[in-house]
Amino acid sequence: NDVSVFLVTAAIKRQLAWHYGKMEGNRQTSMPSHINICVPVHLLGGVLVDPTTGKRVPVGNKIGAFVAAIPTSENDAKHPAARRVKKCSVALTEQKTTPAPLIAWAAARLFSDYAPLSIAKYMMKRTNGQSAAVVSNVKGFPFKTHWNGRCNEFVCAFLPLPPGIPIGCVIQSYGGEMSFSIDADKRAIPDAGQFADWMLEEYERLKQETGI
C-alpha cells in the first residue's frame, strides 16, 4: 500500500504542475507541502478460502478508511524515490495505528442507514479530509480462476469516486500479474493515460534505485 500511495502522490504532483502551467499569465503557484490521500481499510476477514494457503480471502463490505497527509515538499528530480517512499510510509503508519478506519465505517453506516441520501453524501464530502485521491489495493488469487469451465484471463478492479474526492486508483494482483485502474473527474485529470504514465515512470525510477 505504501508504494501504491507513493506512486499516486507523485503523479498528482506532476498533474498539479501541469495545471499550474495552464493558468492565465503563467503566475507562480507553490506546490502544497502535503497531499491528503484516503486509504480504505478492510475491517474483517472474508468468507472465501484460498485453496493454496487454506486462509480466508479478505473480501466483504465492512470497509473503513483513514486519511494520511503525504509529504510533497521534496524535489522529485533531486531526491531519491526510495527516500520519498520512506517518508510516505511513515505518514501512513502513523494513521494505520489510529481508530480512524473503525470510526469512518461506523459514521458511514449511520448516515447511509438513517439519513436521507442528500445528507449522507454531504456528510461524506465534509468528512473526507479534503483528500485529493483514494487509493486501494486488492490482493487477488495468485492463479487464474475459472467460471463455468472458462478461464478468467483478466480481472479489473475499479473504485467509484466517493463524494468530494476527484481521483480513485486501485492497484491489484491476479494470476501472478499486477495491474491498476484510474477513475477520475476529468477536471482534475484530463488525460488518465498521461497520469498512468507518470505513475509508471516513478515506479521505473524506484526499481532502478533499489535494483529490483
Side-chain angles (χ1 to χ4, degrees), residues 123-202:
M123 292 305 300
M124 290 186 71
K125 186 175 181 179
R126 293 288 295 177
T127 57
N128 65 22
Q130 297 184 329
S131 297
V134 54
V135 180
S136 180
N137 63 63
V138 179
K139 183 179 180 181
F141 290 111
F143 51 85
K144 292 183 178 180
T145 60
H146 291 73
W147 182 263
N148 288 336
R150 296 183 178 183
C151 180
N152 297 315
E153 294 293 341
F154 181 73
V155 176
C156 180
F158 73 97
L159 199 158
L161 295 178
I165 301 181
I167 304 169
C169 181
V170 180
I171 299 176
Q172 67 168 16
S173 64
Y174 174 72
E177 297 181 347
M178 299 289 295
S179 63
F180 67 91
S181 66
I182 298 169
D183 187 14
D185 186 327
K186 195 171 184 179
R187 292 170 296 180
I189 300 182
D191 187 344
Q194 177 64 77
F195 190 87
D197 287 342
W198 286 331
M199 289 178 60
L200 292 173
E201 286 175 14
E202 199 66 27

Side-chain angles (χ1 to χ4, degrees), residues 13-75:
K13 285 185 65 177
R14 297 190 58 179
Q15 187 68 74
L16 285 173
W18 182 90
H19 281 298
Y20 293 161
K22 287 285 188 178
M23 287 183 175
E24 294 182 5
N26 291 323
R27 59 184 180 182
Q28 293 294 321
T29 306
S30 59
M31 189 69 65
S33 60
H34 294 77
I35 292 176
N36 289 352
I37 301 294
C38 179
V39 180
V41 177
H42 186 46
L43 301 176
L44 289 178
V47 296
L48 300 180
V49 176
D50 184 342
T52 62
T53 63
K55 296 181 179 179
R56 293 187 180 277
V57 181
V59 296
N61 62 356
K62 191 171 182 180
I63 307 295
F66 65 84
V67 176
I70 308 302
T72 58
S73 56
E74 291 188 335
N75 188 316

